[in-house]
Amino acid sequence: MKAEYNNLVAVLGPTNTGKTYLAFERLMSYQSGIFGFPLRLLARENYDKAVKKIGINNVALVTGEEKFIPKEAKYFFCTVESIPKNINVECVAIDEIQLASDYERGHIFTEHLLNTRGEFETIFLGALTMKPLLSKIFPNIKFELRERFSKLSYNSNRSFSKLRPRSAVIAFNVNNVYEIAENLRSHRGGAAVVLGSLSPRTRNAQVEIYEEKKVDYLVATDAIGMGLNLNIDHIAFSSIEKYDGRFKRNLYTTEIGQIAGRAGRYENNGTFSLLKNAGELDIKTIRDIEDSNFIPINKIYWRNSSLDFSNINNFLLSLKQYPVHNYYIHKKNATDEINFRYLIEDQNVKKLLTTGERIKILWDVCRIPDFQKLFNDAYVQFLKTIFLLLVKNEKIPKLWLEKNILGLQNFNGGIEELSLKISQVRTWTYISNHQNWIDNEKYWQEITQTIENELSDSLHEGLTNRFVDANSKYFIQSNKNEFNQNLSVLDDKIIKINNKEYGSLHSFNLKLNKDAISNSLFSLTHVKKLARKMIEEKIKIFLNAPDASIGFGNINEINFNESIKIYWGEEAVGYLSKGPNIFSPNAEALSNEYISSENKLLIAAKLQKWIEQLVKTLLWPVKEIEIENVPTNVRAIKFNVFENFGTLPIDKFGAFIKNISIEEKNLISKSGIRIGAKYFFVPNFLKKAPMELSAILWCVFNNYKFDGSLPLPKDGRVSFEVQNQMKREYWATIGYIKLNDFALRVDVFERIFFIARQKIKKGPFIDSSDLMNPVGCDRNQLKEILRFCGFSVLKLNNERYLFYNIIKKVSSKLPKNKIKKIDIKKKSKTTKNKNKKQADPNSPFAVLEKLL
């Protein structure tokens, strides 16, 4: 592909600048995309994030050891080595492009830098050191330069004993890592361990105990420098020398900066230092690291990617092809090339290389990663055996696979033995994911992945026991199917060890007994293992459970200062969060270490389906599809009424309602909306269940937090006294009108207003049971209702109220202290006879006279 493109963007900056987050969001804004990462761990992490966002069927995961590619997949999250070359997508993003200068893997990053493109946009992510070289290669590239969210500064403390909590100690030798971790266990209670050779599952488990603050220290190699975003406050270097596969050398300033930059998360500042025996850093180097001011990269590794497989000579010549620019370093003696050159001299192999197809098979075999780091003849012989089996049988025989793979199912052993087994099974996981090499590849992929997971759990357990916990005697002999005889489970819930209760299952989580673990942080490895197995079974039951078993629990017991929980029976399994609109909240699954990412997605999907169906059923017709050719005013009324949960003052549409046609009125009525004198309302929303759901949705969308329960009517009451204060919008949400400390359901209000209007046609009237009984209110509450309706009120000497209309335009609401109290005394007959002028029979005084 051409190197010159106008749609290239380079997002460059140091660690903690949000580059990956920015690229992820931009990639997901397109219809399709590929995201290439330097580590399988990062590819998996962002794959899980994408699955959560758009669903598991739309996203693919492609690494050397994992290939999950749904037919409908539009987005591919890959390791750089596994980026597919036969698909077209709208956007491509490649992370950590400065690795194009890496001796081992640089040529692979360069290949994708030059050739892998998105139809509309290609994004390169990496260090600022790549800017000058990218400008040379791509003159039209656009740059987005980003700065750290937090400050990184040097700390002069060199004492190991004064190392503060939430620190990571960096070493570049496995033995040094273990030595430091044991020291921290002896003096600080323990440490998590992160090595580049660990499987992603083990590495995640070790990181988890650090992130959950079960230990305050982390010991790591330079594997921490890429992709691990941890809550680290301080990075301490025990050495600034490393062996890079060829020779021992001092770290480059950029490498120190990359690792030190892991200190400080988002806007929290971080520090770094060198321990006593690590040597010294000069002032300029320290300033350069603090300011992310590093020497630009001038050259990157390159190898021809257009290989000619027609014959051996042409293939070797295509590998020898030199780059055309002096800023490329021709990659020689890559591991795959060394293996290939060695094997083509083997007579048993050489005689079989008669076709381009066989040459291609040998080349693919030579690219099998050496996870064991053997670097010797044994690995080349292993590759030779694979090639001969493929040529002879076309597929690797089942019996040979069983012999080599199933023997790794012994999960016992020390840290070194388990690490070796993991590296071996990773090789078989890679082979099982290579297309057309084995029969029934899905079966073998599951087998190798299961073995890797079990070995990873055992390795995590071994690391934890060695560097954190000395009290694991009840668990050392345990394995997947057999737990120690001192361990028992009561009622499928309570876990006991040696007759001591260690924890109990609640929902999909294990609640540990604090008394049982007070003297040991990590003696519960097998308790957790058992709990994880039990929780897996429980999740399966939940996923098949009917929707009727899911709910919000007792609404009066909901804590509105927290997220609103979703219950399965009496156990919380998820919660609601704000969604794109008030009727579409997001249902999230509760997180904990016992729920896998896949199960978490399945739980969330079931809860999401449940809440969507609940809204559609209880709040009909808000989710109904809009009928075409509906008049604008009718459409506006429907939109506004439903946006306000079915209760809306009618005055905004007063002019339209006065001249509404029968056809338009029918359209509104068919939508479930009723037109009152003062309000539009939806009778379906005024029932108990829809009302409670509306109140919950309003609180979630508005992120409304408060102490106490929601003010809602009890026992089907149409009115109630209000104890706590809520926002004015809340009352319309539940279909009530709030008058001082009294709430009245809107449809009942309309009924009372209708009765009052009928009465006033005959003249002023006094409070009566036909007005109060439908509401269930007293005279004072009726007074507030009718004042709200626009009636004037007089208080009589017998504590009753007279309601009337004043012809003059005066305020329909009188202040409380201006309600008139009239004392009417009976007049004598003589007085009546003397008064020749006859009173108006409809005046308030005439009515009073009749009443008295």
Side-chain angles (χ1 to χ4, degrees):
M1 301 180 77
K2 293 183 179 179
E4 197 63 38
Y5 273 80
N6 293 321
N7 65 351
L8 300 182
V9 177
V11 183
L12 307 180
T15 56
N16 192 25
T17 57
K19 300 187 296 293
T20 306
Y21 175 83
L22 173 71
F24 179 90
E25 294 298 322
R26 193 176 293 180
L27 183 96
M28 299 304 290
S29 69
Y30 288 96
Q31 295 298 312
S32 58
I34 293 174
F35 208 142
F37 295 93
L39 298 175
R40 172 188 173 192
L41 185 71
L42 290 175
R44 181 78 202 201
E45 179 182 313
N46 284 272
Y47 164 79
D48 289 341
K49 183 179 175 182
V51 167
K52 175 69 176 172
K53 188 178 182 73
I54 60 172
I56 198 167
N57 291 328
N58 297 311
V59 190
L61 176 66
V62 187
T63 70
E65 299 150 80
E66 292 175 292
K67 284 184 174 61
F68 179 74
I69 309 176
K71 292 182 180 180
E72 314 90 78
K74 296 292 188 296
Y75 301 91
F76 296 77
F77 292 84
C78 323
T79 49
V80 172
E81 285 82 353
S82 301
I83 292 177
K85 300 179 181 180
N86 57 348
I87 59 174
N88 294 318
V89 293
E90 293 186 0
C91 180
V92 166
I94 301 175
D95 198 13
E96 305 291 359
I97 55 167
Q98 72 275 7
L99 289 179
S101 65
D102 179 72
Y103 177 77
E104 292 293 335
R105 303 171 67 199
H107 62 284
I108 300 169
F109 280 81
T110 301
E111 177 187 345
H112 292 293
L113 195 70
L114 296 176
N115 300 320
T116 305
R117 294 290 179 267
E119 184 179 352
F120 297 131
E121 187 172 30
T122 301
I123 306 169
F124 300 137
L125 310 174
L128 286 166
T129 52
M130 284 292 289
K131 186 174 185 293
L133 186 58
L134 288 175
S135 298
K136 286 183 183 179
I137 302 174
F138 311 112
N140 295 328
I141 193 170
K142 298 175 184 176
F143 291 99
E144 294 183 20
L145 307 184
R146 297 176 68 85
E147 297 181 356
R148 273 181 65 94
F149 291 131
S150 62
K151 181 181 178 182
L152 178 66
S153 56
Y154 179 72
N155 188 314
S156 59
N157 175 40
R158 300 173 62 82
S159 173
F160 186 87
S161 62
K162 294 181 180 179
L163 201 62
R164 67 177 187 264
R166 313 314 296 165
S167 294
V169 183
I170 308 302
F172 298 95
N173 177 288
V174 173
N175 291 331
N176 289 342
V177 169
Y178 291 166
E179 181 183 345
I180 293 168
E182 286 179 344
N183 193 323
L184 287 169
R185 180 200 61 185
S186 300
H187 297 94
R188 303 294 180 90
V193 173
V194 173
L195 304 169
S197 59
L198 297 180
S199 67
R201 187 180 179 98
T202 304
R203 193 184 313 184
N204 284 344
Q206 285 290 301
V207 165
E208 186 176 285
I209 66 174
Y210 173 80
E211 288 289 88
E212 292 183 352
K213 298 186 178 180
K214 294 177 180 177
V215 293
D216 270 331
Y217 300 91
L218 182 74
V219 187
T221 62
D222 53 348
I224 197 177
M226 194 173 299
L228 285 176
N229 296 313
L230 305 174
N231 290 302
I232 299 172
D233 295 336
H234 180 75
I235 297 284
F237 290 84
S238 67
S239 172
I240 52 173
E241 289 183 338
K242 68 174 286 187
Y243 179 74
D244 66 0
R246 293 178 294 168
F247 48 80
K248 192 172 184 178
R249 61 171 176 80
N250 286 331
L251 295 177
Y252 302 128
T253 305
T254 52
E255 292 174 314
I256 299 175
Q258 179 81 13
I259 298 168
R262 293 299 165 189
R265 182 76 178 270
Y266 191 47
E267 295 183 350
N268 296 325
N269 295 330
T271 57
F272 68 100
S273 69
L274 270 61
L275 296 178
K276 187 175 181 180
N277 297 323
E280 300 284 349
L281 291 177
D282 59 75
I283 296 297
K284 183 180 184 303
T285 300
I286 291 172
R287 294 288 176 265
D288 287 343
I289 294 171
E290 290 178 334
D291 299 334
S292 299
N293 182 26
F294 305 118
I295 297 174
I297 293 172
N298 296 317
K299 294 179 181 290
I300 56 177
Y301 285 93
W302 179 93
R303 184 172 76 178
N304 180 29
S305 58
S306 300
L307 301 177
D308 184 352
F309 292 98
S310 58
N311 57 60
I312 293 295
N313 289 332
N314 288 344
F315 178 77
L316 294 177
L317 285 173
S318 63
L319 277 177
K320 287 182 178 179
Q321 183 176 329
Y322 277 80
V324 295
H325 297 290
N326 61 3
Y327 43 75
Y328 296 129
I329 305 171
H330 183 222
K331 175 61 181 174
K332 301 177 182 177
N333 298 323
T335 303
D336 51 5
E337 184 179 346
I338 292 173
N339 293 336
F340 186 84
R341 289 181 179 276
Y342 186 93
L343 286 175
I344 61 175
E345 298 301 323
D346 185 290
Q347 292 304 314
N348 292 325
V349 174
K350 189 174 184 177
K351 66 182 181 182
L352 297 174
L353 299 176
T354 55
T355 66
E357 182 182 357
R358 289 185 175 181
I359 296 171
K360 177 68 166 57
I361 291 173
L362 179 62
W363 177 243
D364 288 339
V365 168
C366 289
R367 301 185 77 182
I368 297 174
D370 182 10
F371 291 109
Q372 300 176 60
K373 304 298 181 187
L374 297 176
F375 302 115
N376 58 22
D377 291 344
Y379 195 71
V380 176
Q381 288 302 313
F382 171 75
L383 298 179
K384 174 184 173 181
T385 303
I386 295 290
F387 172 73
L388 294 177
L389 287 171
L390 287 172
V391 172
K392 181 179 179 180
N393 304 288
E394 295 187 357
K395 298 287 179 73
I396 300 175
K398 178 182 177 183
L399 290 176
W400 197 75
L401 288 171
E402 290 176 345
K403 176 183 175 182
N404 286 275
I405 295 177
L406 299 184
L408 297 172
Q409 289 182 309
N410 181 359
F411 307 125
N412 296 324
I415 291 173
E416 290 75 12
E417 184 181 351
L418 291 170
S419 297
L420 175 62
K421 287 181 180 179
I422 288 174
S423 63
Q424 290 173 336
V425 80
R426 289 180 71 184
T427 299
W428 292 110
T429 303
Y430 180 93
I431 291 172
S432 68
N433 276 280
H434 203 289
Q435 189 176 9
N436 299 326
W437 280 10
I438 58 178
D439 287 321
N440 199 6
E441 67 271 13
K442 292 294 182 185
Y443 167 78
W444 289 108
Q445 287 166 16
E446 290 177 4
I447 289 288
T448 54
Q449 188 64 61
T450 299
I451 294 173
E452 181 181 329
N453 289 343
E454 292 289 349
L455 288 170
S456 297
D457 287 344
S458 296
L459 179 57
H460 167 59
E461 177 187 338
L463 290 169
T464 302
N465 287 337
R466 180 170 172 180
F467 299 122
V468 179
D469 178 29
N471 302 316
S472 57
K473 60 183 179 180
Y474 295 120
F475 313 103
I476 292 175
Q477 302 302 322
S478 301
N479 57 42
K480 180 178 178 182
N481 298 313
E482 179 184 358
F483 285 90
N484 190 282
Q485 60 183 356
N486 293 290
L487 187 149
S488 60
V489 179
L490 302 178
D491 301 325
D492 293 327
K493 187 173 183 180
I494 299 173
I495 299 175
K496 286 190 174 185
I497 302 169
N498 203 23
N499 294 321
K500 188 174 183 179
E501 187 176 322
Y502 266 60
S504 57
L505 296 181
H506 295 267
S507 184
F508 304 135
N509 198 9
L510 173 66
K511 185 177 181 181
L512 297 174
N513 188 325
K514 292 183 180 179
D515 295 333
I517 64 171
S518 59
N519 297 320
S520 174
L521 293 174
F522 297 99
S523 62
L524 302 175
T525 302
H526 280 279
V527 173
K528 291 184 176 182
K529 192 172 184 180
L530 174 61
R532 188 175 285 110
K533 184 178 179 181
M534 295 168 65
I535 288 168
E536 288 279 347
E537 293 299 319
K538 195 171 182 181
I539 289 173
K540 289 180 182 177
I541 296 171
F542 166 75
L543 295 175
N544 292 311
D547 285 352
S549 63
I550 304 173
F552 294 110
N554 187 341
I555 193 168
N556 295 317
E557 295 178 359
I558 294 177
N559 185 350
F560 286 93
N561 267 328
E562 300 175 354
S563 297
I564 294 177
K565 300 289 193 303
I566 303 174
Y567 291 86
W568 176 40
E570 296 180 353
E571 297 180 327
V573 293
Y575 62 94
L576 289 184
S577 63
K578 183 176 179 179
N581 61 65
I582 200 164
F583 292 107
S584 301
N586 292 325
E588 312 278 354
L590 293 177
S591 298
N592 64 66
E593 63 178 294
Y594 302 99
I595 304 177
S596 66
S597 56
E598 290 83 359
N599 279 336
K600 187 178 177 183
L601 291 170
L602 292 172
I603 293 168
K606 182 177 179 68
L607 295 177
Q608 189 68 48
K609 182 180 178 182
W610 167 77
I611 188 62
E612 289 174 358
Q613 185 60 41
L614 189 68
V615 171
K616 183 176 181 180
T617 302
L618 293 184
L619 298 181
W620 178 89
V622 294
K623 293 285 188 179
E624 293 297 312
I625 299 174
E626 183 66 68
I627 301 172
E628 295 182 0
N629 302 320
V630 174
T632 303
N633 280 320
V634 174
R635 191 185 300 271
I637 288 172
K638 290 173 64 177
F639 175 81
N640 282 278
V641 168
F642 292 141
E643 282 294 304
N644 288 274
F645 280 93
T647 302
L648 181 72
I650 214 164
D651 52 11
K652 295 182 180 180
F653 298 91
F656 170 69
I657 293 300
K658 286 181 181 178
N659 301 303
I660 190 171
S661 67
I662 294 176
E663 187 179 272
E664 290 169 331
K665 196 169 185 179
N666 288 336
L667 285 173
I668 294 173
S669 180
K670 287 179 181 179
S671 299
I673 301 171
R674 299 295 176 264
I675 305 173
K678 279 187 173 290
Y679 289 93
F680 296 105
F681 60 93
V682 180
N684 186 51
F685 289 10
L686 303 178
K687 300 172 185 176
K688 183 178 184 295
M691 188 185 301
E692 291 177 349
L693 177 60
S694 297
I696 289 172
L697 294 178
W698 182 85
C699 289
V700 170
F701 188 77
N702 292 283
N703 195 26
Y704 194 67
K705 308 289 185 183
F706 62 94
D707 288 316
S709 59
L710 281 171
L712 289 167
K714 296 180 180 179
D715 304 321
R717 292 178 61 87
V718 298
S719 66
F720 61 98
E721 294 184 357
V722 178
Q723 301 297 327
N724 58 345
Q725 296 299 317
M726 299 288 288
K727 286 186 177 181
R728 180 173 55 85
E729 296 84 1
Y730 168 79
W731 301 103
T733 299
I734 65 170
Y736 275 70
I737 302 166
K738 181 175 175 290
L739 306 172
N740 294 329
D741 294 330
F742 180 73
L744 171 64
R745 205 168 72 190
V746 64
D747 60 331
V748 178
F749 165 80
E750 289 288 353
R751 192 189 313 166
I752 299 304
F753 191 19
F754 174 78
I755 295 172
R757 293 200 312 275
Q758 299 304 311
K759 285 178 175 287
I760 201 66
K761 290 178 182 179
K762 300 177 181 179
F765 58 92
I766 62 171
D767 54 66
S768 57
S769 59
D770 61 338
L771 289 167
M772 291 184 286
N773 287 347
V775 181
C777 65
D778 58 27
R779 289 187 173 87
N780 289 324
Q781 291 166 339
L782 179 65
K783 173 198 70 177
E784 295 300 328
I785 295 171
L786 293 184
R787 277 168 57 99
F788 182 74
C789 292
F791 292 98
S792 298
V793 58
L794 291 174
K795 189 172 185 180
L796 307 180
N797 65 343
N798 59 355
E799 301 302 321
R800 299 182 72 178
Y801 292 103
L802 176 75
F803 302 100
Y804 62 97
N805 278 337
I806 298 177
I807 297 174
K808 295 181 180 180
K809 292 183 179 180
V810 296
S811 175
S812 62
K813 291 185 178 180
L814 293 175
K816 290 182 179 180
N817 58 0
K818 292 187 178 181
I819 296 176
K820 295 180 182 179
K821 185 171 182 179
I822 300 177
D823 189 10
I824 305 294
K825 296 182 179 180
K826 290 188 178 182
K827 297 183 180 181
S828 64
K829 293 182 179 179
T830 308
T831 306
K832 286 184 181 181
N833 293 333
K834 289 181 179 180
N835 187 0
K836 295 182 179 179
K837 188 175 180 180
Q838 196 170 5
D840 182 357
N842 290 323
S843 71
F845 302 102
V847 173
L848 285 171
E849 186 175 356
K850 293 176 183 178
L851 292 170
L852 299 175

